[in-house]
Amino acid sequence: MIQSMTGFGKVTTELPTKKVTIEIKALNSKQFDLFTRISSNYKEKEMDIRSLLSQRLERGKIELTINAEAIGKDISTKINVPVVEAYISQVEEISRTLGIDPPKDMITTVLRLPEVIKTEMLDADEEEWRIVLAATNEAIDRLCEFRKQEGAMLDNIFRQNIHNISVLVSEIEPYEKDRTDKIKARIEDGLQQIPDVVIDSNRLEQEMIYYIEKLDINEEKTRLANHLKYFIETLDNGHGQGKKLGFIAQEIGREINTLGSKSNHSEMQQIVVQMKDELEQIKEQVLNVL
């Protein structure tokens, strides 16, 4: 079963002095593109985390957040004095520039701002890292399960689109003989409009056969049927088929375009337009396939 590149996984685990939340988001991308926001006490493990994600998630635009929040009574919390001083200086400067009074309770206001309160947390030991790593793997598992569910939906959509194109190809057949008859009649009518012309019936027949053979679409229909079959076979080969499905969709498009250029018949051209609509839906969705 194919998988979507889109996914989400979140796990929260509690340690004696902190609560750790791991959140992973994935969107479509041509390659593996990772952005991380990792709590400072796990920064030394960032390369291990990157390696783990690249192995398990393969492709996509990945955003990882590992946030550690201190809990418990034995927590060392300090006011970040340089940050407070910088905030106060900026507020006073803004007040002078705008000609307004600064807040009456400056300290209370500033203490609510980001990074003013600094909580000291020790770097993770091996046991803590083992727990965080297990939670990270669980978050990846949840994201992969999300990908599988999305992939199942895409699989159903693709199979319906491919089926619809196959049905439309079969709907072309009744118009093929009618098309050749109309072409012959149009050529013959045109020749009859030319005064004092002597028609060599054998030569005319040869030229008409040559012209009609150039408009023959049996080869295109055969190649198109093969591409549609190959698309379904690729769907059945499991995940990691996104790029391959994209290439097959391009080949399907080439054959449909050739059918359109050769159709020379209004009803056939309408059917080709419907095929193109089905194919566009495939192309839009195949970008999300892992």
Side-chain angles (χ1 to χ4, degrees):
M1 180 69 70
I2 60 170
Q3 293 184 22
S4 168
M5 268 190 283
T6 304
F8 178 77
K10 182 177 180 180
V11 171
T12 299
T13 185
E14 287 199 9
L15 301 166
T17 59
K18 65 189 74 168
K19 181 172 71 173
V20 181
T21 301
I22 298 102
E23 187 174 291
I24 310 174
K25 301 175 184 177
L27 298 172
N28 59 14
S29 178
K30 290 184 178 179
Q31 54 272 322
F32 181 78
D33 183 13
L34 176 62
F35 173 75
T36 63
R37 287 194 295 267
I38 301 175
S39 182
S40 58
N41 50 322
Y42 303 124
K43 272 291 184 181
E44 64 178 24
K45 299 292 186 179
E46 182 169 355
M47 294 310 297
D48 294 339
I49 295 170
R50 284 180 171 271
S51 177
L52 173 66
L53 290 170
S54 66
Q55 289 174 16
R56 295 203 55 193
L57 299 182
E58 301 176 40
R59 193 158 68 99
K61 184 177 181 181
I62 313 298
E63 182 178 325
L64 167 74
T65 302
I66 300 181
N67 182 56
E69 178 185 351
I71 58 175
K73 297 180 180 179
D74 302 326
I75 302 299
S76 175
T77 302
K78 296 180 181 179
I79 295 176
N80 196 335
V81 176
V83 172
V84 172
E85 290 174 343
Y87 276 136
I88 290 175
S89 175
Q90 291 177 60
V91 171
E92 289 175 343
E93 178 65 27
I94 291 171
S95 297
R96 287 193 296 270
T97 301
L98 299 179
I100 59 175
D101 294 331
K104 293 182 179 179
D105 197 348
M106 177 79 79
I107 292 297
T108 301
T109 301
V110 169
L111 289 177
R112 296 194 185 101
L113 298 175
E115 299 184 11
V116 169
I117 306 299
K118 183 168 62 175
T119 302
E120 299 289 341
M121 286 190 286
L122 298 175
D123 290 340
D125 57 23
E126 286 305 314
E127 176 60 20
E128 179 178 334
W129 171 240
R130 184 188 65 78
I131 295 171
V132 172
L133 182 60
T136 302
N137 269 304
E138 185 180 347
I140 295 173
D141 289 340
R142 294 184 181 183
L143 184 146
C144 289
E145 185 59 34
F146 192 107
R147 279 180 161 184
K148 289 176 182 177
Q149 294 173 8
E150 290 286 311
M153 293 174 58
L154 290 174
D155 185 271
N156 290 333
I157 292 171
F158 290 144
R159 290 178 191 275
Q160 185 61 53
N161 290 137
I162 295 296
H163 171 74
N164 292 345
I165 293 174
S166 297
V167 171
L168 289 167
V169 172
S170 66
E171 291 179 0
I172 284 178
E173 295 178 7
Y175 298 108
E176 290 186 65
K177 185 177 185 306
D178 180 56
R179 178 185 64 148
T180 57
D181 291 342
K182 285 183 177 180
I183 291 171
K184 287 179 180 179
R186 190 165 62 246
I187 293 174
E188 289 172 350
D189 289 345
L191 290 172
Q192 289 175 6
Q193 301 301 318
I194 303 174
D196 302 324
V197 64
V198 179
I199 300 173
D200 184 335
S201 59
N202 290 330
R203 180 63 186 273
L204 175 61
E205 188 68 24
Q206 291 175 1
E207 292 296 330
M208 291 183 73
I209 290 172
Y210 173 74
Y211 180 69
I212 291 170
E213 281 181 348
K214 288 184 67 175
L215 296 178
D216 182 72
I217 60 172
N218 285 317
E219 188 176 343
E220 285 74 17
K221 290 195 300 180
T222 299
R223 285 201 297 263
L224 179 55
N226 288 335
H227 292 326
L228 297 176
K229 180 182 177 184
Y230 190 31
F231 194 98
I232 296 298
E233 288 174 353
T234 305
L235 283 179
D236 294 333
N237 283 336
H239 81 278
Q241 303 293 327
K243 290 182 179 179
K244 192 172 183 180
L245 291 171
F247 295 145
I248 300 170
Q250 289 179 11
E251 294 303 315
I252 292 172
R254 287 192 181 94
E255 301 306 329
I256 291 175
N257 286 336
T258 305
L259 284 175
S261 65
K262 284 187 171 185
S263 62
N264 201 19
H265 189 282
S266 60
E267 285 81 359
M268 289 174 65
Q269 287 173 340
Q270 290 174 17
I271 293 172
V272 167
V273 169
Q274 293 177 59
M275 287 187 198
K276 289 182 177 181
D277 181 56
E278 295 290 339
L279 181 61
E280 281 305 307
Q281 294 178 45
I282 291 174
K283 286 182 175 180
E284 287 176 9
Q285 296 296 338
V286 83
L287 296 173
N288 292 320
V289 178
L290 183 62

